[in-house]
Amino acid sequence: MANTGETRRETDEFERLRERVTLADDDREAISVVAPFTGEQVGTIPAGTEADVADAVERARAAGERWAERSPEQRAAVFEAFHELVLDRQAELLDVIQTETGKSRLHAFEEILDVASTAQYYAERGPGLLAPSRREGAIPLATRAEEHHHPVGVVGIISPWNYPLALSISDAIPALLAGNGVVFKPDEHTSFIALKALELLVEAGLPEGLCQIVTGRGDEVGPPLIDRVDYLTFTGSTETGRAVAEQAGRNLIDCSLELGGKNPMLILDDADIDQAVRGAVNGSFTNAGQLCLAAERIYVHETVAEAFTERFVAATEDLSLGVGDDWDIDVGSLVSADHLAKVEAHVEDAREAGATVLAGGEARPDVGPYVYEPTVLTDVPESADCCREETFGPVVSIYEVSSTEEAIEKANDTEYGLNASVFTGDGERGRAVARRIEAGTVGVNDAYAASYGSIDAPMGGRKQSGVGRRHGSGGLLKYTESQTIAEQRTGPMAPPASLPNDWYARLMTGFLRVLKRLP
């Protein structure tokens, strides 16, 4: 992908995919899309406008009304077919992901796993979750109560650049299965993978027009999208998430927000050190640290700190850096020059504040224009930016602690609460510690993949890391309006005309006491 011929092929493919962008008319500024592997332009996307958003929502709403008439089983069949297409055509998807993000092939493959697993899970479980269900009525035998789920209408999805396939399509699958139309606003760095995935969805049987994609800058496309949709899903920074939530609140629409994190990893005194090192490498440097769930703070017990640190630094220095589609590359590129500058600034600030760099700490332009070495810091003072702010790069800090209590206290000493992990030789102990950590997901003897990959369980943040959940039943039903239908078989629940009100009150009081005694 890094040579001129391959770049030209990618450009041709991107120009073809560009035709799927929703435009109210053709007169739009072109935004350049740059490949991090080379720093070269590989395509352009149109800078969408409010008119484009209005047109996209209108089209999705019209298509959604017809789509909602299909049974959940009929809708699920589309995602069963999509599951197979994603696996069969993964090479095409991986090429686009890598071209836009610069991540290694193995880390791009995580997105394939996520989307395929999500499609299969909801195709299998979705129809049952959406089926009408009986609820306990007000009066046994006399009241029949049912819960029904209806589509909300049009779902807006604003997705980030770091996992552009997983964090757009995996959120869209349950929204579509619930019977909604969808309008995407992908990040301007990574719009083409959303367009490619939409192409496969249509090939799998999704009706044309049901999914719309409006490309462009967030501050120009995001606000008009929130003003027009019936539900909003956003993944991004906490700062932007607050603005999104405020606008959604004014419009009285519900929203789901996965925001920032400063995720801790705890290495307890009984941890298997080799296992902990593997987990720390994976948790800190997957996608060059550009992962919302990545570990940025490691709290290691003093009795194992020396052994862990020595092996972790050695494993970090052994990682291979590279750009391209070689499966043997361990760590790829950062996404842009601006992001590289932020990572460099965090490390330099830590150095100046007195931190020690144990591994890495330098940009590698000899490998790629935005490549930065996996970096391990220690002695990081509270005053350093990277102590509390999210770096979102291949940088992790080690802190020695004297007890499990101290580790838990320091892990919770943050405004964020997205993900955490605990390494220990005792699973029961690990789960007990995990319950005390203020994070939406906590892995025991795993950094993030086990908890995120458990799609039947909810995933989301606490504190300033967001609201709402993806995955599980809630990840589907949040895209529906629940409706209760209650039939009273004995006539209206009101005092009979012949019965005095005080007698009715005594009768109902006795009835409630009898109900309490029933099994």
Side-chain angles (χ1 to χ4, degrees):
M1 277 179 286
N3 66 48
T4 302
E6 289 171 332
T7 300
R8 186 179 302 113
R9 284 196 296 274
E10 291 294 343
T11 300
D12 292 343
E13 168 75 351
F14 288 177
E15 286 303 305
R16 183 184 66 78
L17 290 172
R18 191 179 187 276
E19 298 302 313
R20 284 198 169 272
V21 176
T22 300
L23 293 172
D25 57 62
D26 294 330
D27 185 19
R28 294 290 178 273
E29 174 196 352
I31 299 175
S32 177
V33 176
V34 173
F37 283 165
T38 63
E40 299 175 359
Q41 177 178 304
V42 290
T44 63
I45 56 170
T49 66
E50 184 172 354
D52 299 327
V53 172
D55 190 44
V57 173
E58 183 179 348
R59 293 185 193 185
R61 194 175 299 282
E65 290 174 358
R66 297 186 295 272
W67 172 248
E69 293 174 357
R70 299 192 190 185
S71 69
E73 290 77 12
Q74 290 172 319
R75 299 195 293 262
V78 172
F79 302 105
E80 290 178 355
F82 180 64
H83 166 87
E84 294 300 322
L85 279 175
V86 168
L87 296 179
D88 291 344
R89 307 272 281 279
Q90 62 180 273
E92 300 171 30
L93 295 168
L94 289 171
D95 286 347
V96 179
I97 293 170
Q98 286 194 278
T99 299
E100 290 194 295
T101 67
K103 65 177 66 178
S104 73
R105 195 115 177 135
L106 179 62
H107 297 158
F109 181 68
E110 286 192 344
E111 299 203 53
I112 302 296
L113 290 176
D114 179 74
V115 171
S117 298
T118 300
Q120 187 63 29
Y121 174 81
Y122 283 114
E124 291 179 353
R125 302 290 185 89
L129 293 171
L130 293 170
S133 55
R134 290 288 295 272
R135 293 289 181 257
E136 187 175 304
I139 301 176
L141 302 179
T143 309
R144 175 191 174 98
E146 298 175 341
E147 182 182 4
H148 296 258
H149 293 280
H150 302 282
V152 295
V154 176
V155 173
I157 297 177
I158 301 176
S159 56
W161 51 261
N162 61 321
Y163 280 78
L165 177 64
L167 296 178
S168 58
I169 302 305
S170 288
D171 282 334
I173 287 168
L176 291 164
L177 182 57
N180 300 290
V182 168
V183 178
F184 290 109
K185 191 283 166 192
D187 187 273
E188 55 265 36
H189 291 92
T190 54
S191 297
F192 286 110
I193 187 59
L195 293 164
K196 180 67 176 179
L198 175 56
E199 187 174 71
L200 292 190
L201 279 167
V202 171
E203 186 175 337
L206 196 75
E208 287 277 7
L210 186 63
C211 268
Q212 302 286 323
I213 295 179
V214 181
T215 59
R217 300 180 180 90
D219 58 352
E220 296 174 2
V221 177
L225 179 64
I226 300 169
D227 279 342
R228 287 169 171 82
V229 297
D230 306 296
Y231 189 99
L232 194 283
T233 293
F234 171 83
T235 305
S237 72
T238 296
E239 180 182 4
T240 304
R242 290 192 185 103
V244 169
E246 182 180 356
Q247 187 177 352
R250 288 199 306 269
N251 294 336
L252 291 180
I253 64 168
D254 207 351
C255 63
S256 179
L257 313 172
E258 186 199 302
L259 308 177
K262 190 68 178 176
N263 306 307
M265 176 179 288
L266 282 61
I267 313 296
L268 304 189
D269 54 357
D270 63 345
D272 180 311
I273 300 302
D274 289 335
Q275 187 181 78
V277 167
R278 289 197 303 273
V281 168
N282 185 51
S284 304
F285 304 129
T286 290
N287 193 22
Q290 300 168 119
L291 170 64
C292 297
L293 306 174
E296 294 198 7
R297 302 178 288 147
I298 300 178
Y299 298 104
V300 56
H301 194 276
E302 60 187 9
T303 59
V304 294
E306 183 177 352
F308 170 81
T309 302
E310 180 180 338
R311 295 186 210 178
F312 179 48
V313 168
T316 299
E317 291 176 335
D318 196 42
L319 294 171
S320 63
L321 302 179
V323 295
D325 57 8
D326 187 338
W327 284 92
D328 292 331
I329 293 172
D330 294 319
V331 179
S333 175
L334 297 176
V335 73
S336 67
D338 287 345
H339 198 57
L340 172 62
K342 177 189 175 182
V343 172
E344 287 182 305
H346 264 210
V347 174
E348 185 57 31
D349 173 76
R351 276 194 178 109
E352 292 177 357
T356 302
V357 178
L358 299 180
E362 299 293 340
R364 293 292 300 276
D366 57 309
V367 178
Y370 313 140
V371 172
Y372 196 85
E373 293 176 333
T375 299
V376 181
L377 304 176
T378 190
D379 305 319
V380 178
E382 285 275 339
S383 61
D385 291 339
C386 72
C387 183
R388 291 189 171 274
E389 295 179 19
E390 185 177 34
T391 303
F392 214 64
V395 179
V396 64
S397 303
I398 297 177
Y399 304 87
E400 188 173 316
V401 294
S402 59
S403 67
T404 300
E405 288 298 318
E406 183 184 1
I408 295 170
E409 181 180 349
K410 290 183 177 296
N412 290 336
D413 184 19
T414 175
E415 65 177 350
Y416 297 112
L418 186 58
N419 183 60
S421 52
V422 180
F423 283 81
T424 173
D426 182 341
E428 184 176 351
R429 181 190 185 195
R431 292 191 300 275
V433 170
R435 287 193 293 272
R436 297 178 60 192
I437 297 177
E438 297 164 357
T441 56
V442 184
V444 177
N445 293 328
D446 183 81
Y448 68 89
S451 52
Y452 192 90
S454 299
I455 300 175
D456 193 42
M459 182 273 159
R462 294 170 61 177
K463 299 193 280 191
Q464 297 299 304
S465 287
V467 296
R469 296 291 183 267
R470 56 166 57 96
H471 294 171
S473 60
L476 171 67
L477 298 181
K478 69 182 181 182
Y479 295 120
T480 68
E481 295 282 7
S482 61
Q483 178 189 44
T484 297
I485 298 176
E487 175 194 1
Q488 189 61 22
R489 292 163 170 160
T490 57
M493 282 188 61
S498 60
L499 187 68
N501 289 343
D502 59 335
W503 281 62
Y504 173 78
R506 293 175 196 167
L507 179 65
M508 294 304 295
T509 299
F511 175 70
L512 290 176
R513 286 177 171 148
V514 170
L515 278 181
K516 181 181 178 181
R517 295 183 177 90
L518 293 177

